[in-house]
Amino acid sequence: MKSEPAEFSIDDLAARPGQIEHWDGVRNYQARNMIRDQMKVGDGLLFYHSNCATPGIVGQAEICREAYPDFTAFDPGHPHYDAASSLESPRWLMVDVRFVRKFRRTITLAELKERPELAGLALIRRGNRLSVMPVTAAQWRFILSLE
DNA sequence: GCCAACGTTGGC
DNA sequence: GCCAACGTTGGC
């Protein structure tokens, strides 16, 4: 799962009460469907810092609440407001995530790209800008071994 | 700041 | 349904 560290970093997550935060702001249908259909309590996730000096994977968290309406879409004053989403028929969903650990170092995007074992990783496939992407068990293990 | 690679919008 | 215009993402 991607986040711009200037907006919300892994350190921000670690500093939250209970080290839990709702993952709001996903406004892409493909990403929403993954949130809705695939994320289960206890699933691990890799926390990726995007749009920053050193983009890369910085740590690990886990899903602690399954999909529910993204309430930031209901607030006209919120940057993620969407008039087409309502309490009765919510268009956008989010999960809650819990901090697990921060890596000793950032596993950089450049490094991920040069590893043949990760050639199929959704994150590095051309043009993939989704904020939420799947990781296979083998990719997961390999990425953790890089730390 | 540039620009590729998207996704969305809306006229037709 | 097509597609041009536009907006966004995000690496570099």
Side-chain angles (χ1 to χ4, degrees):
Chain A
M1 297 175 79
K2 289 186 198 170
S3 184
E4 302 189 15
E7 295 295 320
F8 186 74
S9 71
I10 187 131
D11 293 323
D12 294 327
L13 178 59
R16 282 289 190 270
Q19 303 189 310
I20 288 171
E21 182 61 295
H22 55 270
W23 200 274
D24 64 278
V26 173
R27 295 290 181 272
N28 171 285
Y29 289 106
Q30 207 181 331
R32 181 206 63 186
N33 294 348
M34 282 190 270
I35 287 172
R36 183 188 61 199
D37 303 332
Q38 291 175 240
M39 293 187 183
K40 302 301 174 193
V41 168
D43 284 352
L45 67 97
L46 298 170
F47 198 120
Y48 178 88
H49 280 175
S50 68
N51 203 14
C52 57
T54 308
I57 300 170
V58 292
Q60 197 181 333
E62 66 182 10
I63 306 298
C64 63
R65 181 179 173 185
E66 286 169 22
Y68 64 104
D70 181 342
F71 51 75
T72 65
F74 305 145
D75 176 3
H78 197 280
H80 298 147
Y81 175 65
D82 181 358
S85 188
S86 66
L87 272 171
E88 300 72 30
S89 180
R91 173 174 294 190
W92 304 114
L93 303 172
M94 60 186 174
V95 290
D96 287 356
V97 304
R98 179 187 291 119
F99 176 81
V100 173
R101 69 191 185 97
K102 185 178 177 179
F103 291 163
R104 292 186 294 272
R105 65 180 191 90
T106 298
I107 302 170
T108 66
L109 176 62
E111 187 177 354
L112 297 172
K113 282 179 172 172
E114 69 189 20
R115 294 290 186 163
E117 295 90 342
L118 298 176
L121 188 67
L123 175 70
I124 60 173
R125 281 209 301 264
R126 199 178 67 110
N128 202 329
R129 300 168 310 147
L130 288 178
S131 59
V132 171
M133 284 170 289
V135 179
T136 69
Q139 289 164 346
W140 176 275
R141 286 191 298 270
F142 184 76
I143 289 167
L144 292 189
S145 81
L146 293 176
E147 183 193 1

PDB file of all heavy atoms in Angstrom, chain A residues 2 48 51 109 113 129, chain C residues 7-12:
ATOM      1  N   LYS A   2       0.545   2.172  -0.882  1.00  0.00           N
ATOM      2  CA  LYS A   2       1.376   3.360  -1.065  1.00  0.00           C
ATOM      3  C   LYS A   2       0.851   4.525  -0.247  1.00  0.00           C
ATOM      4  O   LYS A   2      -0.355   4.718  -0.143  1.00  0.00           O
ATOM      5  CB  LYS A   2       1.310   3.821  -2.519  1.00  0.00           C
ATOM      6  CG  LYS A   2       1.994   2.953  -3.531  1.00  0.00           C
ATOM      7  CD  LYS A   2       1.923   3.705  -4.863  1.00  0.00           C
ATOM      8  CE  LYS A   2       2.174   2.800  -6.045  1.00  0.00           C
ATOM      9  NZ  LYS A   2       1.870   3.511  -7.298  1.00  0.00           N
ATOM     10  N   TYR A  48       4.653   1.375   1.452  1.00  0.00           N
ATOM     11  CA  TYR A  48       5.513   1.976   0.427  1.00  0.00           C
ATOM     12  C   TYR A  48       5.413   3.491   0.467  1.00  0.00           C
ATOM     13  O   TYR A  48       4.302   4.037   0.479  1.00  0.00           O
ATOM     14  CB  TYR A  48       5.075   1.458  -0.947  1.00  0.00           C
ATOM     15  CG  TYR A  48       5.835   2.017  -2.125  1.00  0.00           C
ATOM     16  CD1 TYR A  48       7.014   1.418  -2.569  1.00  0.00           C
ATOM     17  CD2 TYR A  48       5.364   3.122  -2.818  1.00  0.00           C
ATOM     18  CE1 TYR A  48       7.710   1.919  -3.665  1.00  0.00           C
ATOM     19  CE2 TYR A  48       6.055   3.640  -3.915  1.00  0.00           C
ATOM     20  CZ  TYR A  48       7.223   3.034  -4.333  1.00  0.00           C
ATOM     21  OH  TYR A  48       7.907   3.527  -5.414  1.00  0.00           O
ATOM     22  N   ASN A  51       6.404   9.250  -4.106  1.00  0.00           N
ATOM     23  CA  ASN A  51       6.476  10.685  -4.365  1.00  0.00           C
ATOM     24  C   ASN A  51       7.341  11.398  -3.331  1.00  0.00           C
ATOM     25  O   ASN A  51       6.927  12.392  -2.737  1.00  0.00           O
ATOM     26  CB  ASN A  51       5.060  11.277  -4.393  1.00  0.00           C
ATOM     27  CG  ASN A  51       4.994  12.565  -5.183  1.00  0.00           C
ATOM     28  OD1 ASN A  51       5.917  12.914  -5.921  1.00  0.00           O
ATOM     29  ND2 ASN A  51       3.907  13.291  -5.017  1.00  0.00           N
ATOM     30  N   LEU A 109      12.854   1.559  -4.496  1.00  0.00           N
ATOM     31  CA  LEU A 109      12.244   1.183  -5.765  1.00  0.00           C
ATOM     32  C   LEU A 109      13.317   0.763  -6.767  1.00  0.00           C
ATOM     33  O   LEU A 109      13.152  -0.230  -7.494  1.00  0.00           O
ATOM     34  CB  LEU A 109      11.436   2.369  -6.312  1.00  0.00           C
ATOM     35  CG  LEU A 109      10.804   2.163  -7.688  1.00  0.00           C
ATOM     36  CD1 LEU A 109       9.810   1.012  -7.651  1.00  0.00           C
ATOM     37  CD2 LEU A 109      10.129   3.441  -8.154  1.00  0.00           C
ATOM     38  N   LYS A 113      13.524  -2.906  -8.643  1.00  0.00           N
ATOM     39  CA  LYS A 113      13.507  -3.015 -10.107  1.00  0.00           C
ATOM     40  C   LYS A 113      14.651  -3.867 -10.639  1.00  0.00           C
ATOM     41  O   LYS A 113      14.544  -4.445 -11.712  1.00  0.00           O
ATOM     42  CB  LYS A 113      13.594  -1.619 -10.735  1.00  0.00           C
ATOM     43  CG  LYS A 113      12.288  -0.858 -10.712  1.00  0.00           C
ATOM     44  CD  LYS A 113      12.480   0.518 -11.344  1.00  0.00           C
ATOM     45  CE  LYS A 113      11.159   1.238 -11.507  1.00  0.00           C
ATOM     46  NZ  LYS A 113      11.369   2.644 -11.945  1.00  0.00           N
ATOM     47  N   ARG A 129       0.051   2.600 -11.442  1.00  0.00           N
ATOM     48  CA  ARG A 129       0.033   3.677 -10.456  1.00  0.00           C
ATOM     49  C   ARG A 129      -1.002   3.437  -9.375  1.00  0.00           C
ATOM     50  O   ARG A 129      -1.356   4.359  -8.658  1.00  0.00           O
ATOM     51  CB  ARG A 129      -0.247   5.009 -11.157  1.00  0.00           C
ATOM     52  CG  ARG A 129       0.782   5.384 -12.196  1.00  0.00           C
ATOM     53  CD  ARG A 129       0.287   6.537 -13.024  1.00  0.00           C
ATOM     54  NE  ARG A 129      -1.055   6.246 -13.486  1.00  0.00           N
ATOM     55  CZ  ARG A 129      -1.988   7.169 -13.674  1.00  0.00           C
ATOM     56  NH1 ARG A 129      -1.716   8.420 -13.441  1.00  0.00           N
ATOM     57  NH2 ARG A 129      -3.174   6.826 -14.089  1.00  0.00           N
TER      58      ARG A 129
ATOM     59  P    DG C   7      -7.956  20.215 -16.418  1.00  0.00           P
ATOM     60  OP1  DG C   7      -8.751  21.233 -15.723  1.00  0.00           O
ATOM     61  OP2  DG C   7      -6.620  20.539 -16.965  1.00  0.00           O
ATOM     62  O5'  DG C   7      -7.785  18.959 -15.450  1.00  0.00           O
ATOM     63  C5'  DG C   7      -8.941  18.269 -14.987  1.00  0.00           C
ATOM     64  C4'  DG C   7      -8.498  17.120 -14.116  1.00  0.00           C
ATOM     65  O4'  DG C   7      -7.985  16.059 -14.964  1.00  0.00           O
ATOM     66  C3'  DG C   7      -7.376  17.490 -13.146  1.00  0.00           C
ATOM     67  O3'  DG C   7      -7.652  16.907 -11.880  1.00  0.00           O
ATOM     68  C2'  DG C   7      -6.133  16.902 -13.791  1.00  0.00           C
ATOM     69  C1'  DG C   7      -6.685  15.688 -14.531  1.00  0.00           C
ATOM     70  N9   DG C   7      -5.924  15.315 -15.718  1.00  0.00           N
ATOM     71  C8   DG C   7      -5.510  16.140 -16.730  1.00  0.00           C
ATOM     72  N7   DG C   7      -4.853  15.515 -17.666  1.00  0.00           N
ATOM     73  C5   DG C   7      -4.825  14.201 -17.248  1.00  0.00           C
ATOM     74  C6   DG C   7      -4.253  13.049 -17.850  1.00  0.00           C
ATOM     75  O6   DG C   7      -3.630  12.974 -18.895  1.00  0.00           O
ATOM     76  N1   DG C   7      -4.459  11.905 -17.083  1.00  0.00           N
ATOM     77  C2   DG C   7      -5.139  11.880 -15.892  1.00  0.00           C
ATOM     78  N2   DG C   7      -5.242  10.699 -15.284  1.00  0.00           N
ATOM     79  N3   DG C   7      -5.682  12.939 -15.321  1.00  0.00           N
ATOM     80  C4   DG C   7      -5.488  14.061 -16.043  1.00  0.00           C
ATOM     81  P    DT C   8      -6.599  17.037 -10.681  1.00  0.00           P
ATOM     82  OP1  DT C   8      -7.388  17.130  -9.442  1.00  0.00           O
ATOM     83  OP2  DT C   8      -5.585  18.058 -11.034  1.00  0.00           O
ATOM     84  O5'  DT C   8      -5.885  15.614 -10.712  1.00  0.00           O
ATOM     85  C5'  DT C   8      -6.675  14.444 -10.664  1.00  0.00           C
ATOM     86  C4'  DT C   8      -5.763  13.240 -10.552  1.00  0.00           C
ATOM     87  O4'  DT C   8      -5.111  13.009 -11.827  1.00  0.00           O
ATOM     88  C3'  DT C   8      -4.647  13.391  -9.515  1.00  0.00           C
ATOM     89  O3'  DT C   8      -4.644  12.219  -8.724  1.00  0.00           O
ATOM     90  C2'  DT C   8      -3.376  13.544 -10.359  1.00  0.00           C
ATOM     91  C1'  DT C   8      -3.735  12.783 -11.626  1.00  0.00           C
ATOM     92  N1   DT C   8      -3.057  13.228 -12.871  1.00  0.00           N
ATOM     93  C2   DT C   8      -2.424  12.284 -13.650  1.00  0.00           C
ATOM     94  O2   DT C   8      -2.360  11.104 -13.348  1.00  0.00           O
ATOM     95  N3   DT C   8      -1.856  12.772 -14.797  1.00  0.00           N
ATOM     96  C4   DT C   8      -1.859  14.083 -15.242  1.00  0.00           C
ATOM     97  O4   DT C   8      -1.319  14.399 -16.289  1.00  0.00           O
ATOM     98  C5   DT C   8      -2.537  15.025 -14.372  1.00  0.00           C
ATOM     99  C7   DT C   8      -2.600  16.463 -14.749  1.00  0.00           C
ATOM    100  C6   DT C   8      -3.102  14.550 -13.245  1.00  0.00           C
ATOM    101  P    DT C   9      -3.665  12.116  -7.465  1.00  0.00           P
ATOM    102  OP1  DT C   9      -4.461  11.436  -6.428  1.00  0.00           O
ATOM    103  OP2  DT C   9      -3.003  13.410  -7.210  1.00  0.00           O
ATOM    104  O5'  DT C   9      -2.563  11.102  -7.988  1.00  0.00           O
ATOM    105  C5'  DT C   9      -2.965   9.899  -8.594  1.00  0.00           C
ATOM    106  C4'  DT C   9      -1.733   9.192  -9.113  1.00  0.00           C
ATOM    107  O4'  DT C   9      -1.262   9.856 -10.300  1.00  0.00           O
ATOM    108  C3'  DT C   9      -0.556   9.163  -8.128  1.00  0.00           C
ATOM    109  O3'  DT C   9      -0.139   7.823  -8.046  1.00  0.00           O
ATOM    110  C2'  DT C   9       0.480  10.089  -8.771  1.00  0.00           C
ATOM    111  C1'  DT C   9       0.136   9.982 -10.242  1.00  0.00           C
ATOM    112  N1   DT C   9       0.456  11.139 -11.117  1.00  0.00           N
ATOM    113  C2   DT C   9       1.031  10.890 -12.335  1.00  0.00           C
ATOM    114  O2   DT C   9       1.343   9.782 -12.710  1.00  0.00           O
ATOM    115  N3   DT C   9       1.250  12.003 -13.104  1.00  0.00           N
ATOM    116  C4   DT C   9       0.940  13.306 -12.792  1.00  0.00           C
ATOM    117  O4   DT C   9       1.179  14.214 -13.571  1.00  0.00           O
ATOM    118  C5   DT C   9       0.327  13.513 -11.494  1.00  0.00           C
ATOM    119  C7   DT C   9      -0.030  14.873 -11.065  1.00  0.00           C
ATOM    120  C6   DT C   9       0.115  12.425 -10.734  1.00  0.00           C
ATOM    121  P    DG C  10       0.755   7.304  -6.855  1.00  0.00           P
ATOM    122  OP1  DG C  10       0.579   5.848  -6.748  1.00  0.00           O
ATOM    123  OP2  DG C  10       0.518   8.178  -5.694  1.00  0.00           O
ATOM    124  O5'  DG C  10       2.212   7.571  -7.389  1.00  0.00           O
ATOM    125  C5'  DG C  10       2.681   6.835  -8.502  1.00  0.00           C
ATOM    126  C4'  DG C  10       3.962   7.454  -8.963  1.00  0.00           C
ATOM    127  O4'  DG C  10       3.698   8.662  -9.694  1.00  0.00           O
ATOM    128  C3'  DG C  10       4.922   7.860  -7.830  1.00  0.00           C
ATOM    129  O3'  DG C  10       6.203   7.394  -8.167  1.00  0.00           O
ATOM    130  C2'  DG C  10       4.889   9.373  -7.855  1.00  0.00           C
ATOM    131  C1'  DG C  10       4.695   9.588  -9.347  1.00  0.00           C
ATOM    132  N9   DG C  10       4.307  10.921  -9.744  1.00  0.00           N
ATOM    133  C8   DG C  10       3.668  11.880  -9.009  1.00  0.00           C
ATOM    134  N7   DG C  10       3.487  13.000  -9.672  1.00  0.00           N
ATOM    135  C5   DG C  10       4.026  12.761 -10.915  1.00  0.00           C
ATOM    136  C6   DG C  10       4.133  13.588 -12.067  1.00  0.00           C
ATOM    137  O6   DG C  10       3.742  14.743 -12.209  1.00  0.00           O
ATOM    138  N1   DG C  10       4.758  12.931 -13.121  1.00  0.00           N
ATOM    139  C2   DG C  10       5.234  11.631 -13.083  1.00  0.00           C
ATOM    140  N2   DG C  10       5.821  11.187 -14.190  1.00  0.00           N
ATOM    141  N3   DG C  10       5.143  10.853 -12.014  1.00  0.00           N
ATOM    142  C4   DG C  10       4.534  11.472 -10.984  1.00  0.00           C
ATOM    143  P    DG C  11       7.292   7.019  -7.111  1.00  0.00           P
ATOM    144  OP1  DG C  11       6.902   5.775  -6.447  1.00  0.00           O
ATOM    145  OP2  DG C  11       7.656   8.187  -6.320  1.00  0.00           O
ATOM    146  O5'  DG C  11       8.465   6.674  -8.121  1.00  0.00           O
ATOM    147  C5'  DG C  11       8.203   5.880  -9.273  1.00  0.00           C
ATOM    148  C4'  DG C  11       9.014   6.392 -10.439  1.00  0.00           C
ATOM    149  O4'  DG C  11       8.457   7.648 -10.921  1.00  0.00           O
ATOM    150  C3'  DG C  11      10.478   6.683 -10.104  1.00  0.00           C
ATOM    151  O3'  DG C  11      11.267   6.217 -11.185  1.00  0.00           O
ATOM    152  C2'  DG C  11      10.523   8.193  -9.961  1.00  0.00           C
ATOM    153  C1'  DG C  11       9.478   8.640 -10.968  1.00  0.00           C
ATOM    154  N9   DG C  11       8.851   9.925 -10.652  1.00  0.00           N
ATOM    155  C8   DG C  11       8.252  10.270  -9.467  1.00  0.00           C
ATOM    156  N7   DG C  11       7.761  11.482  -9.482  1.00  0.00           N
ATOM    157  C5   DG C  11       8.046  11.954 -10.744  1.00  0.00           C
ATOM    158  C6   DG C  11       7.770  13.212 -11.342  1.00  0.00           C
ATOM    159  O6   DG C  11       7.179  14.182 -10.851  1.00  0.00           O
ATOM    160  N1   DG C  11       8.253  13.285 -12.647  1.00  0.00           N
ATOM    161  C2   DG C  11       8.904  12.271 -13.289  1.00  0.00           C
ATOM    162  N2   DG C  11       9.305  12.533 -14.549  1.00  0.00           N
ATOM    163  N3   DG C  11       9.182  11.095 -12.750  1.00  0.00           N
ATOM    164  C4   DG C  11       8.722  11.006 -11.482  1.00  0.00           C
ATOM    165  P    DC C  12      12.816   5.932 -10.999  1.00  0.00           P
ATOM    166  OP1  DC C  12      13.141   4.874 -11.958  1.00  0.00           O
ATOM    167  OP2  DC C  12      13.121   5.769  -9.567  1.00  0.00           O
ATOM    168  O5'  DC C  12      13.465   7.277 -11.498  1.00  0.00           O
ATOM    169  C5'  DC C  12      13.345   7.628 -12.876  1.00  0.00           C
ATOM    170  C4'  DC C  12      13.691   9.074 -13.050  1.00  0.00           C
ATOM    171  O4'  DC C  12      12.638   9.898 -12.534  1.00  0.00           O
ATOM    172  C3'  DC C  12      14.924   9.526 -12.258  1.00  0.00           C
ATOM    173  O3'  DC C  12      16.085   9.369 -13.069  1.00  0.00           O
ATOM    174  C2'  DC C  12      14.640  10.999 -11.963  1.00  0.00           C
ATOM    175  C1'  DC C  12      13.190  11.204 -12.370  1.00  0.00           C
ATOM    176  N1   DC C  12      12.384  11.936 -11.371  1.00  0.00           N
ATOM    177  C2   DC C  12      11.914  13.201 -11.707  1.00  0.00           C
ATOM    178  O2   DC C  12      12.183  13.665 -12.816  1.00  0.00           O
ATOM    179  N3   DC C  12      11.176  13.882 -10.796  1.00  0.00           N
ATOM    180  C4   DC C  12      10.913  13.341  -9.612  1.00  0.00           C
ATOM    181  N4   DC C  12      10.183  14.062  -8.763  1.00  0.00           N
ATOM    182  C5   DC C  12      11.397  12.061  -9.257  1.00  0.00           C
ATOM    183  C6   DC C  12      12.123  11.382 -10.160  1.00  0.00           C
TER     184       DC C  12
END
